Amino acid sequence: KAGVTQTPRYLIKTRGQQVTLSCSPISGHRSVSWYQQTPGQGLQFLFEYFSETQRNKGNFPGRFSGRQFSNSRSEMNVSTLELGDSALYLCASSFGTSGDTQYFGPGTRLTVL
Amino acid sequence: EDKVVQSPLSLVVHEGDTVTLNCSYEVTNFRSLLWYKQEKKAPTFLFMLTSSGIEKKSGRLSSILDKKELFSILNITATQTGDSAIYLCAAQGGSEKLVFGKGTKLTVNP
């Protein structure tokens, strides 16, 4: 079974731009969660989608948004990028809700200049 | 606010040593505690603990949960250089969100 895949793996953007990251979960998994990882803050929860509906949201500004498609693939969008958005963005999938074990993708490394 | 604290933040040992990593948590309506190993990018799942006092074991790694004192430990015996990684602990409460600690960076020197 293929694991969680994320694209692109690396991104470089400038302040003020917007970016869209993609995550394909493990086949059969319906829940996708997104996390931001920085050296100072560690892994922080962004949001979770299950069956195309956002179930949970972390404490991030409205510039961070996401969606999930009928095939469970998910996208995350960050608008009006700031330097502080530079981070590793990880997505994790699970079979059901986030109560099930989450399996992580390799992440997208975003650098904002 | 839900929080997870891991200690130590970093640890350097020699091959063959035994290490204990600590994780304390405060989450509302606790459901489970998870341990992950992160080497390069993707954290990989190690253990999920839901009951107190029941040790979970996988090879040289083991973990146990104390729901009364709100902590968990991860033990690694006979460490190898391949155990070098960041070990992440996460707690899940009633909201079902995973709250992560900042991790323990383990370095095993030959």
Side-chain angles (χ1 to χ4, degrees), chain B residues 4-44:
Chain B
V4 172
V5 177
Q6 292 186 245
S7 63
L9 290 181
S10 69
L11 191 54
V12 180
V13 300
H14 291 290
E15 264 192 321
D17 288 349
T18 292
V19 298
T20 299
L21 310 183
N22 303 295
C23 174
S24 65
Y25 63 90
E26 288 178 36
V27 296
T28 307
N29 297 323
F30 173 82
R31 292 168 64 113
S32 62
L33 187 130
L34 296 93
W35 284 96
Y36 287 86
K37 177 183 181 183
Q38 186 174 25
E39 291 178 84
K40 297 240 191 275
K41 290 284 173 67
T44 53

Side-chain angles (χ1 to χ4, degrees), chain A residues 79-95:
Chain A
S79 61
T80 320
L81 284 166
E82 300 177 359
L83 294 179
D85 297 333
S86 294
L88 179 67
Y89 289 89
L90 290 160
C91 123
S93 78
S94 59
F95 179 73

Side-chain angles (χ1 to χ4, degrees), chain B residues 60-75:
Chain B
R60 295 176 294 102
L61 277 67
S62 64
S63 183
I64 198 160
L65 175 68
D66 185 329
K67 287 166 76 170
K68 184 179 173 194
E69 299 298 329
L70 307 182
F71 78 89
S72 174
I73 59 172
L74 175 69
N75 277 321

Side-chain angles (χ1 to χ4, degrees), chain A residues 60-94:
Chain A
F60 279 81
R63 300 184 297 106
F64 292 80
S65 63
R67 59 178 174 168
Q68 187 180 34
F69 303 95
S70 58
N71 62 358
S72 294
R73 190 177 71 85
S74 177
E75 286 182 349
M76 187 193 111
N77 186 74
V78 188
S79 61
T80 320
L81 284 166
E82 300 177 359
L83 294 179
D85 297 333
S86 294
L88 179 67
Y89 289 89
L90 290 160
C91 123
S93 78
S94 59

Side-chain angles (χ1 to χ4, degrees), chain A residues 9-10 35 37 40-41 43 45 55-58 88 90 97-106, chain B residues 1 31-32 34 36 38 40-45 48 86 88 92 95-102:
Chain A
R9 295 292 307 277
Y10 300 91
Y35 296 86
Q37 188 176 32
Q41 297 298 320
L43 259 168
F45 173 77
R55 290 190 70 248
N56 265 311
K57 192 173 188 313
L88 179 67
L90 290 160
T97 68
S98 58
D100 293 331
T101 301
Q102 293 187 14
Y103 296 90
F104 283 83
Chain B
E1 189 181 324
R31 292 168 64 113
S32 62
L34 296 93
Y36 287 86
Q38 186 174 25
K40 297 240 191 275
K41 290 284 173 67
T44 53
F45 172 77
M48 176 189 273
I86 296 173
L88 296 165
Q92 183 179 51
S95 69
E96 297 187 359
K97 293 188 287 190
L98 280 183
V99 179
F100 280 84
K102 295 194 176 177

